[in-house]
Amino acid sequence: MTTVTLNLDPIVHLNQEQFYHLCRVNPDVKFERNAKGELIIVSPTGGETGKRNAGIIADFVIWNRQTGLGEVFDSSTCFHLPNGANRSPDVAWVQQQRWDALTEEQKEKFPPIAPDFVLELMSPSDTLSETQAKMQEYMNNQVRLGWLLYRPTRRVEIYRQGQTVEILENPTQLSGEHVLPGFILDLQIVWN
């Protein structure tokens, strides 16, 4: 399974509404779109990655229900970023007041907002360089904190707004810092 990128720009430039409609009439295909307008067809994950994603999202949902600080989103949610890209991180979180500032129509479609937090769990079909570029794109669009988890080497890259990337080798847990106050992700659900 590989990711495929299509450049349709020489033929047609899809506006946001057209991209949304394309996704709706092709529900069996997961699309993203980069800032250049290229369509990215994202492969589904395998069982091991999906199992770990489910465990991670469960921890975020439980923490968020206890704190009531925002909204948690899974990988099927596509965000329309300020640079024009449409991205679907494996886990995303948006502060409640920012989410509440959106209209009902904006919430129902692809929310025109950069999450406060994103997490990408590398799957075998992902390339490290492309996922790192995606993480940098999140930061360029005002995401405040991002985690890139790379299972084969148990490596974590932490992206923070306005800072250099911090690389951790085989950490046992991650702190949500000031963005996700009190949240701790036990990485045993990822590594094992």
Side-chain angles (χ1 to χ4, degrees), residues 84-135:
N86 292 91
R87 296 295 191 170
S88 300
D90 291 326
V91 179
W93 182 82
V94 177
Q95 278 184 328
Q96 194 65 55
Q97 62 269 27
R98 294 184 65 233
W99 180 251
D100 291 343
L102 298 176
T103 67
E104 290 306 312
E105 182 180 12
Q106 290 172 323
K107 292 176 185 178
E108 197 61 42
K109 291 187 174 182
F110 298 152
I113 191 170
D116 292 282
F117 169 83
V118 296
L119 180 148
E120 292 286 354
L121 174 60
M122 297 274 302
S123 64
S125 63
D126 296 332
T127 67
L128 184 58
S129 62
E130 287 176 355
T131 309
Q132 288 170 326
K134 188 175 177 180
M135 294 300 292

Side-chain angles (χ1 to χ4, degrees), residues 14-182:
L14 297 176
N15 65 30
Q16 184 60 23
E17 193 62 34
Q18 291 166 326
F19 176 73
Y20 178 78
H21 185 67
L22 175 70
C23 294
R24 297 287 63 88
V25 299
N26 294 284
D28 296 333
V29 180
K30 183 177 178 185
F31 291 107
E32 288 187 341
R33 185 168 62 157
N34 63 26
K36 295 184 284 188
E38 296 170 330
L39 288 180
I40 302 162
I41 301 170
V42 182
S43 296
T45 65
E48 286 297 326
T49 302
K51 177 181 80 169
R52 285 168 173 80
N53 273 338
I56 292 168
I57 199 106
D59 285 357
F60 275 92
V61 168
I62 292 167
W63 167 82
N64 196 62
R65 284 185 179 164
Q66 292 170 346
T67 64
L69 294 175
E71 299 292 343
V72 177
F73 302 89
D74 71 3
S75 62
S76 63
T77 307
C78 187
F79 292 91
H80 182 208
L81 301 178
N83 71 347
N86 292 91
R87 296 295 191 170
S88 300
D90 291 326
V91 179
W93 182 82
V94 177
Q95 278 184 328
Q96 194 65 55
Q97 62 269 27
R98 294 184 65 233
W99 180 251
D100 291 343
L102 298 176
T103 67
E104 290 306 312
E105 182 180 12
Q106 290 172 323
K107 292 176 185 178
E108 197 61 42
K109 291 187 174 182
F110 298 152
I113 191 170
D116 292 282
F117 169 83
V118 296
L119 180 148
E120 292 286 354
L121 174 60
M122 297 274 302
S123 64
S125 63
D126 296 332
T127 67
L128 184 58
S129 62
E130 287 176 355
T131 309
Q132 288 170 326
K134 188 175 177 180
M135 294 300 292
Q136 192 56 58
E137 181 178 52
Y138 290 137
M139 293 301 111
N140 294 344
N141 280 275
Q142 303 307 307
V143 170
R144 295 168 42 211
L145 178 64
W147 296 341
L148 171 57
L149 310 180
Y150 188 58
R151 281 184 45 231
T153 60
R154 295 185 174 205
R155 173 182 162 143
V156 173
E157 295 183 8
I158 301 175
Y159 293 75
R160 297 178 184 94
Q161 196 54 232
Q163 297 182 31
T164 59
V165 176
E166 180 181 1
I167 297 173
L168 303 176
E169 303 294 342
N170 199 24
T172 58
Q173 63 183 22
L174 293 172
S175 163
E177 304 174 8
H178 66 282
V179 177
L180 307 165

